[in-house]
Amino acid sequence: MRIQDAARRLGVSARTLRHYEAAGLIVPRRTSNGYRSYSASEVERATWVRDLIASGFSTRELRNLLTALEDGRRTPGVNCAAVMQDKLDQIDRAITTLRKRRRALSARLAGAKPQQQTRTRQ
C-alpha cells in the first residue's frame, strides 16, 4: 500500500511515516517509480513504532528493541521485557517527581496571601 493509505490506517501523517523511515525504524519498499510501498508486515512494524513512541520510547531506544520484537526473533543482548520494564520504572519515577512538584506548588499557592492569589489568576 502507498504511504497515504498506510498513514490513514495507522492514524498518523505521511510525514510521521517518513520520519520513522529516516530514523531507520521502518524500511518500506520502493516501486519502480520511486513511491514507497508498505507491506502488511511493514504496517505492523509501524504500528509497534507508533505505540512504543506513545509509551515514551525515543526513536533511538526503539532501534534495538524493534529488531528483537520483530517476528519473535531474539536479538543477542536485548531482553525486551527488561527494556520495557526499565521504561515503565522510568515513567513511574517521573510520575512520582511530578506529584511532588504538584504538591509543592499547591502548598505554595494555598499559603499565598489573598491579594496575591487574585493577581495570579488574572
Side-chain angles (χ1 to χ4, degrees):
M1 84 180 61
R2 291 176 63 177
I3 192 167
Q4 291 299 335
D5 298 324
R8 191 172 15 266
R9 180 176 284 189
L10 291 164
V12 299
S13 66
R15 183 175 185 215
T16 297
L17 289 178
R18 287 190 291 274
H19 172 70
Y20 295 169
E21 181 182 359
L25 300 173
I26 60 173
V27 184
R29 291 174 309 156
R30 294 287 182 147
T31 61
S32 60
N33 60 3
Y35 290 139
R36 290 170 177 87
S37 178
Y38 293 84
S39 65
S41 64
E42 203 60 42
V43 171
E44 182 179 3
R45 186 176 172 105
T47 300
W48 291 344
V49 170
R50 179 202 61 201
D51 293 349
L52 290 169
I53 286 174
S55 298
F57 284 91
S58 69
T59 55
R60 188 174 348 123
E61 292 171 316
L62 287 180
R63 283 191 195 98
N64 288 335
L65 184 59
L66 283 172
T67 301
L69 284 173
E70 188 176 50
D71 298 330
R73 287 184 277 166
R74 299 276 181 230
T75 301
V78 177
N79 179 336
C80 297
V83 170
M84 288 187 210
Q85 185 61 54
D86 287 346
K87 181 54 76 174
L88 189 58
D89 293 344
Q90 180 184 4
I91 291 169
D92 286 341
R93 286 189 302 273
I95 289 170
T96 298
T97 299
L98 287 171
R99 283 186 177 139
K100 287 178 185 176
R101 289 177 184 172
R102 187 186 190 291
R103 281 192 301 270
L105 185 57
S106 182
R108 181 172 290 270
L109 186 59
K113 295 179 184 175
Q115 286 180 331
Q116 291 172 329
Q117 284 182 350
T118 304
R119 286 186 200 156
T120 58
R121 289 185 183 176
Q122 291 177 349

